Amino acid sequence: MAADCGANCARWLLCLANFVFICVSTGVLIVGTWLAADKASFINLTLNITTSKYSPASPFVSEDAEKILKEFVEPAVIEQAAYILIAAGAFILVISFLGYCGAIKESRVLLTAYGIFLIIIFALQIALILLCTLYKSQADHHSKGFLKSTLSKYYTTGDNKDAVTLSWDLIMAQMSCCGVDGYEDFRTARLFVDKSSAEGLGRQVPESCCILTGDPLLLNPADPSCIISPTQSNSYLSTGCYNKFSYMVTENLNLVIGAVVVVAATQMLAIIFSFCLCRAVGQERDYHYKY
């Protein structure tokens, strides 16, 4: 064991932090694997827990909320979420395992690998921030292009909504916006256009683009004719979500900067602790080798 007090502090801090991340990532990985292997049991369990009269959440789950929950645990949504959870859980688990085992076993190889992984992640984050700052117009263009492609390829209406559609509905309902740049984005959404034609209502926009009444998650337009004849008074047809999000970030810039600083400082401390402990272990072994 490294005798230096600072090295011991670094060791136990790394052990504690990475043990927490191992537990969290293991849980995420187990849930993701369960979803991918047996979606039906997860859907049934989720619905049974939340709607059971013995559940703590049951008093808060109305019929409308239950309907929303059922949409979110549709097999298509669950399948897409499962692979995201598996990838995220496995990535965090591998890095946390290196840090925890390296600290608890005082392994210079594992600590060095852990530190290098963190340096790579940190460098990629810095590079991304710099690129977005230096090439803001190009970054805006590509970001808008990606978001519009998700609308044009995947957004739909009616039953059997997928994760992309539900995510867009949530964003538009909560942020009071419509599409990426406005309602015209839905004219190029192939699935939405096809489903709207099949409905025969003359739908122009989804309910989430309308001014809503009650709980936004329920997507109840204050003006039922909004989906057919959207106007400035009954919808957000000209308010794009991209510009709305940019405005919100600008308005809360201090919070954004604070969050970035906290994340960066945490990563830097982990990098410093890993290499300090690695150095202390090397010095102790050299001492025992000499004497």
Side-chain angles (χ1 to χ4, degrees):
M1 178 185 291
D4 183 69
C5 179
N8 275 320
C9 289
R11 179 183 183 226
W12 291 113
L13 282 173
L14 283 175
C15 286
L16 178 62
N18 283 289
F19 179 75
V20 172
F21 278 110
I22 286 174
C23 293
V24 173
S25 60
T26 301
V28 171
L29 194 58
I30 290 172
V31 172
T33 305
W34 178 22
L35 294 179
D38 189 6
K39 296 183 285 291
S41 65
F42 178 84
I43 293 172
N44 292 330
L45 181 63
T46 304
L47 293 175
N48 289 337
I49 289 175
T50 52
T51 59
S52 170
K53 63 180 181 179
Y54 300 108
S55 170
S58 61
F60 307 101
V61 181
S62 63
E63 291 183 4
D64 290 328
E66 184 178 344
K67 180 181 176 183
I68 295 171
L69 179 62
K70 286 181 179 178
E71 286 183 347
F72 272 96
V73 294
E74 284 291 333
V77 180
I78 292 296
E79 187 173 353
Q80 294 167 16
Y83 297 118
I84 295 174
L85 290 175
I86 291 172
F91 180 73
I92 297 172
L93 179 62
V94 169
I95 295 178
S96 301
F97 182 79
L98 288 175
Y100 179 78
C101 290
I104 203 74
K105 293 293 187 182
E106 295 186 344
S107 169
R108 298 185 67 185
V109 174
L110 294 179
L111 286 170
T112 302
Y114 175 71
I116 290 173
F117 269 119
L118 290 182
I119 289 173
I120 292 172
I121 294 170
F122 186 77
L124 289 174
Q125 292 171 337
I126 296 296
L128 180 62
I129 293 172
L130 289 176
L131 288 173
C132 289
T133 303
L134 296 174
Y135 301 99
K136 187 177 183 302
S137 58
Q138 292 92 328
D140 287 341
H141 175 74
H142 288 297
S143 298
K144 283 187 177 183
F146 169 74
L147 292 173
K148 287 187 177 184
S149 71
T150 63
L151 276 178
S152 63
K153 292 179 181 178
Y154 305 110
Y155 190 87
T156 186
T157 188
D159 299 328
N160 300 321
K161 293 181 179 180
D162 63 4
V164 175
T165 301
L166 290 172
S167 299
W168 268 111
D169 281 341
L170 273 177
I171 291 169
M172 292 187 290
Q174 293 292 338
M175 293 179 60
S176 301
C177 56
C178 186
V180 180
D181 287 323
Y183 78 103
E184 293 184 351
D185 291 333
F186 292 98
R187 293 179 179 176
T188 58
R190 295 189 297 270
L191 295 176
F192 175 79
V193 172
D194 292 342
K195 286 289 184 70
S196 298
S197 299
E199 279 181 335
L201 300 175
R203 178 191 291 271
Q204 300 297 316
V205 295
E207 287 82 358
S208 49
C209 279
C210 299
I211 295 176
L212 304 173
T213 181
D215 189 342
L217 296 178
L218 301 180
L219 303 179
N220 291 324
D223 180 2
S225 65
C226 166
I227 61 173
I228 302 170
S229 304
T231 64
Q232 295 289 352
S233 61
N234 65 9
S235 70
Y236 305 102
L237 78 167
S238 299
T239 305
C241 292
Y242 191 88
N243 290 336
K244 188 74 177 283
F245 177 75
S246 299
Y247 175 77
M248 290 172 63
V249 170
T250 303
E251 286 292 299
N252 299 279
L253 194 58
N254 290 335
L255 291 176
V256 175
I257 292 174
V260 171
V261 169
V262 168
V263 172
T266 303
Q267 290 177 329
M268 284 300 299
L269 284 174
I271 293 169
I272 292 170
F273 285 166
S274 63
F275 284 112
C276 284
L277 180 57
C278 186
R279 181 173 178 271
V281 171
Q283 287 179 338
E284 184 180 14
R285 288 178 181 174
D286 288 343
Y287 176 82
H288 288 304
Y289 177 78
K290 289 179 181 179
Y291 303 100

